[in-house]
PDB file of all heavy atoms in Angstrom:
ATOM      1  N   ARG A 217      15.820  19.498  -8.928  1.00  0.00           N
ATOM      2  CA  ARG A 217      15.894  18.670 -10.135  1.00  0.00           C
ATOM      3  C   ARG A 217      15.272  19.446 -11.289  1.00  0.00           C
ATOM      4  O   ARG A 217      14.457  20.335 -11.077  1.00  0.00           O
ATOM      5  CB  ARG A 217      15.124  17.363  -9.945  1.00  0.00           C
ATOM      6  CG  ARG A 217      15.591  16.508  -8.794  1.00  0.00           C
ATOM      7  CD  ARG A 217      16.689  15.576  -9.266  1.00  0.00           C
ATOM      8  NE  ARG A 217      17.238  14.780  -8.202  1.00  0.00           N
ATOM      9  CZ  ARG A 217      17.030  13.496  -8.038  1.00  0.00           C
ATOM     10  NH1 ARG A 217      16.236  12.845  -8.840  1.00  0.00           N
ATOM     11  NH2 ARG A 217      17.617  12.852  -7.054  1.00  0.00           N
ATOM     12  N   ASP A 218      15.613  19.072 -12.498  1.00  0.00           N
ATOM     13  CA  ASP A 218      15.043  19.699 -13.687  1.00  0.00           C
ATOM     14  C   ASP A 218      14.565  18.610 -14.630  1.00  0.00           C
ATOM     15  O   ASP A 218      15.291  17.661 -14.900  1.00  0.00           O
ATOM     16  CB  ASP A 218      16.090  20.580 -14.371  1.00  0.00           C
ATOM     17  CG  ASP A 218      15.480  21.553 -15.357  1.00  0.00           C
ATOM     18  OD1 ASP A 218      14.245  21.544 -15.543  1.00  0.00           O
ATOM     19  OD2 ASP A 218      16.246  22.323 -15.974  1.00  0.00           O
ATOM     20  N   SER A 219      13.333  18.750 -15.082  1.00  0.00           N
ATOM     21  CA  SER A 219      12.716  17.755 -15.951  1.00  0.00           C
ATOM     22  C   SER A 219      12.067  18.467 -17.127  1.00  0.00           C
ATOM     23  O   SER A 219      11.481  19.537 -16.964  1.00  0.00           O
ATOM     24  CB  SER A 219      11.664  16.981 -15.147  1.00  0.00           C
ATOM     25  OG  SER A 219      10.768  16.310 -15.988  1.00  0.00           O
ATOM     26  N   ASP A 220      12.162  17.862 -18.309  1.00  0.00           N
ATOM     27  CA  ASP A 220      11.493  18.445 -19.477  1.00  0.00           C
ATOM     28  C   ASP A 220       9.990  18.495 -19.266  1.00  0.00           C
ATOM     29  O   ASP A 220       9.323  19.425 -19.707  1.00  0.00           O
ATOM     30  CB  ASP A 220      11.805  17.635 -20.737  1.00  0.00           C
ATOM     31  CG  ASP A 220      13.239  17.791 -21.189  1.00  0.00           C
ATOM     32  OD1 ASP A 220      13.886  18.791 -20.815  1.00  0.00           O
ATOM     33  OD2 ASP A 220      13.721  16.902 -21.915  1.00  0.00           O
ATOM     34  N   TYR A 221       9.455  17.509 -18.597  1.00  0.00           N
ATOM     35  CA  TYR A 221       8.009  17.434 -18.393  1.00  0.00           C
ATOM     36  C   TYR A 221       7.547  18.284 -17.215  1.00  0.00           C
ATOM     37  O   TYR A 221       6.549  18.990 -17.311  1.00  0.00           O
ATOM     38  CB  TYR A 221       7.586  15.979 -18.177  1.00  0.00           C
ATOM     39  CG  TYR A 221       6.121  15.821 -17.883  1.00  0.00           C
ATOM     40  CD1 TYR A 221       5.163  16.075 -18.859  1.00  0.00           C
ATOM     41  CD2 TYR A 221       5.685  15.444 -16.623  1.00  0.00           C
ATOM     42  CE1 TYR A 221       3.810  15.944 -18.592  1.00  0.00           C
ATOM     43  CE2 TYR A 221       4.339  15.302 -16.343  1.00  0.00           C
ATOM     44  CZ  TYR A 221       3.412  15.554 -17.336  1.00  0.00           C
ATOM     45  OH  TYR A 221       2.073  15.429 -17.057  1.00  0.00           O
ATOM     46  N   ARG A 222       8.279  18.243 -16.110  1.00  0.00           N
ATOM     47  CA  ARG A 222       7.844  18.915 -14.884  1.00  0.00           C
ATOM     48  C   ARG A 222       8.494  20.263 -14.660  1.00  0.00           C
ATOM     49  O   ARG A 222       8.068  21.016 -13.804  1.00  0.00           O
ATOM     50  CB  ARG A 222       8.136  18.026 -13.681  1.00  0.00           C
ATOM     51  CG  ARG A 222       7.358  16.736 -13.723  1.00  0.00           C
ATOM     52  CD  ARG A 222       7.788  15.783 -12.676  1.00  0.00           C
ATOM     53  NE  ARG A 222       7.516  16.286 -11.351  1.00  0.00           N
ATOM     54  CZ  ARG A 222       7.871  15.666 -10.252  1.00  0.00           C
ATOM     55  NH1 ARG A 222       8.523  14.534 -10.320  1.00  0.00           N
ATOM     56  NH2 ARG A 222       7.592  16.165  -9.079  1.00  0.00           N
ATOM     57  N   GLY A 223       9.553  20.556 -15.368  1.00  0.00           N
ATOM     58  CA  GLY A 223      10.303  21.775 -15.108  1.00  0.00           C
ATOM     59  C   GLY A 223      11.152  21.586 -13.865  1.00  0.00           C
ATOM     60  O   GLY A 223      11.512  20.473 -13.501  1.00  0.00           O
ATOM     61  N   VAL A 224      11.448  22.677 -13.192  1.00  0.00           N
ATOM     62  CA  VAL A 224      12.249  22.607 -11.967  1.00  0.00           C
ATOM     63  C   VAL A 224      11.350  22.167 -10.819  1.00  0.00           C
ATOM     64  O   VAL A 224      10.275  22.720 -10.607  1.00  0.00           O
ATOM     65  CB  VAL A 224      12.894  23.974 -11.653  1.00  0.00           C
ATOM     66  CG1 VAL A 224      13.610  23.937 -10.311  1.00  0.00           C
ATOM     67  CG2 VAL A 224      13.858  24.368 -12.764  1.00  0.00           C
ATOM     68  N   TYR A 225      11.795  21.137 -10.105  1.00  0.00           N
ATOM     69  CA  TYR A 225      11.080  20.687  -8.916  1.00  0.00           C
ATOM     70  C   TYR A 225      12.109  20.341  -7.848  1.00  0.00           C
ATOM     71  O   TYR A 225      13.305  20.272  -8.122  1.00  0.00           O
ATOM     72  CB  TYR A 225      10.143  19.508  -9.214  1.00  0.00           C
ATOM     73  CG  TYR A 225      10.818  18.213  -9.563  1.00  0.00           C
ATOM     74  CD1 TYR A 225      10.960  17.207  -8.615  1.00  0.00           C
ATOM     75  CD2 TYR A 225      11.305  17.969 -10.844  1.00  0.00           C
ATOM     76  CE1 TYR A 225      11.574  16.002  -8.935  1.00  0.00           C
ATOM     77  CE2 TYR A 225      11.911  16.774 -11.176  1.00  0.00           C
ATOM     78  CZ  TYR A 225      12.042  15.795 -10.212  1.00  0.00           C
ATOM     79  OH  TYR A 225      12.650  14.615 -10.526  1.00  0.00           O
ATOM     80  N   HIS A 226      11.646  20.153  -6.623  1.00  0.00           N
ATOM     81  CA  HIS A 226      12.527  19.901  -5.487  1.00  0.00           C
ATOM     82  C   HIS A 226      12.119  18.580  -4.855  1.00  0.00           C
ATOM     83  O   HIS A 226      10.935  18.318  -4.654  1.00  0.00           O
ATOM     84  CB  HIS A 226      12.424  21.036  -4.469  1.00  0.00           C
ATOM     85  CG  HIS A 226      12.686  22.372  -5.087  1.00  0.00           C
ATOM     86  ND1 HIS A 226      13.931  22.935  -5.140  1.00  0.00           N
ATOM     87  CD2 HIS A 226      11.860  23.243  -5.704  1.00  0.00           C
ATOM     88  CE1 HIS A 226      13.862  24.097  -5.759  1.00  0.00           C
ATOM     89  NE2 HIS A 226      12.605  24.306  -6.106  1.00  0.00           N
ATOM     90  N   LEU A 227      13.115  17.768  -4.508  1.00  0.00           N
ATOM     91  CA  LEU A 227      12.865  16.422  -4.008  1.00  0.00           C
ATOM     92  C   LEU A 227      13.600  16.179  -2.695  1.00  0.00           C
ATOM     93  O   LEU A 227      14.789  16.474  -2.580  1.00  0.00           O
ATOM     94  CB  LEU A 227      13.342  15.404  -5.052  1.00  0.00           C
ATOM     95  CG  LEU A 227      13.340  13.932  -4.646  1.00  0.00           C
ATOM     96  CD1 LEU A 227      11.921  13.433  -4.416  1.00  0.00           C
ATOM     97  CD2 LEU A 227      14.042  13.106  -5.711  1.00  0.00           C
ATOM     98  N   ALA A 228      12.873  15.650  -1.715  1.00  0.00           N
ATOM     99  CA  ALA A 228      13.460  15.129  -0.476  1.00  0.00           C
ATOM    100  C   ALA A 228      13.009  13.682  -0.397  1.00  0.00           C
ATOM    101  O   ALA A 228      11.812  13.386  -0.405  1.00  0.00           O
ATOM    102  CB  ALA A 228      12.990  15.913   0.735  1.00  0.00           C
ATOM    103  N   ASP A 229      13.960  12.775  -0.368  1.00  0.00           N
ATOM    104  CA  ASP A 229      13.652  11.352  -0.419  1.00  0.00           C
ATOM    105  C   ASP A 229      14.361  10.666   0.746  1.00  0.00           C
ATOM    106  O   ASP A 229      15.578  10.717   0.849  1.00  0.00           O
ATOM    107  CB  ASP A 229      14.152  10.797  -1.759  1.00  0.00           C
ATOM    108  CG  ASP A 229      13.458   9.520  -2.173  1.00  0.00           C
ATOM    109  OD1 ASP A 229      12.559   9.055  -1.443  1.00  0.00           O
ATOM    110  OD2 ASP A 229      13.812   8.998  -3.239  1.00  0.00           O
ATOM    111  N   THR A 230      13.584  10.054   1.634  1.00  0.00           N
ATOM    112  CA  THR A 230      14.150   9.302   2.745  1.00  0.00           C
ATOM    113  C   THR A 230      13.699   7.856   2.615  1.00  0.00           C
ATOM    114  O   THR A 230      12.939   7.514   1.710  1.00  0.00           O
ATOM    115  CB  THR A 230      13.701   9.868   4.104  1.00  0.00           C
ATOM    116  OG1 THR A 230      12.319   9.556   4.302  1.00  0.00           O
ATOM    117  CG2 THR A 230      13.911  11.373   4.203  1.00  0.00           C
ATOM    118  N   SER A 231      14.100   7.028   3.539  1.00  0.00           N
ATOM    119  CA  SER A 231      13.697   5.619   3.481  1.00  0.00           C
ATOM    120  C   SER A 231      12.197   5.445   3.732  1.00  0.00           C
ATOM    121  O   SER A 231      11.627   4.430   3.350  1.00  0.00           O
ATOM    122  CB  SER A 231      14.499   4.803   4.484  1.00  0.00           C
ATOM    123  OG  SER A 231      14.251   5.274   5.793  1.00  0.00           O
ATOM    124  N   SER A 232      11.556   6.427   4.354  1.00  0.00           N
ATOM    125  CA  SER A 232      10.140   6.271   4.700  1.00  0.00           C
ATOM    126  C   SER A 232       9.205   7.277   4.038  1.00  0.00           C
ATOM    127  O   SER A 232       7.992   7.180   4.206  1.00  0.00           O
ATOM    128  CB  SER A 232       9.970   6.359   6.212  1.00  0.00           C
ATOM    129  OG  SER A 232      10.386   7.628   6.666  1.00  0.00           O
TER     130      SER A 232
END
Side-chain angles (χ1 to χ4, degrees):
R217 302 271 177 107
D218 196 359
S219 162
D220 290 339
Y221 177 69
R222 297 171 65 184
V224 174
Y225 68 100
H226 305 269
L227 172 66
D229 202 1
T230 72
S231 61
S232 62

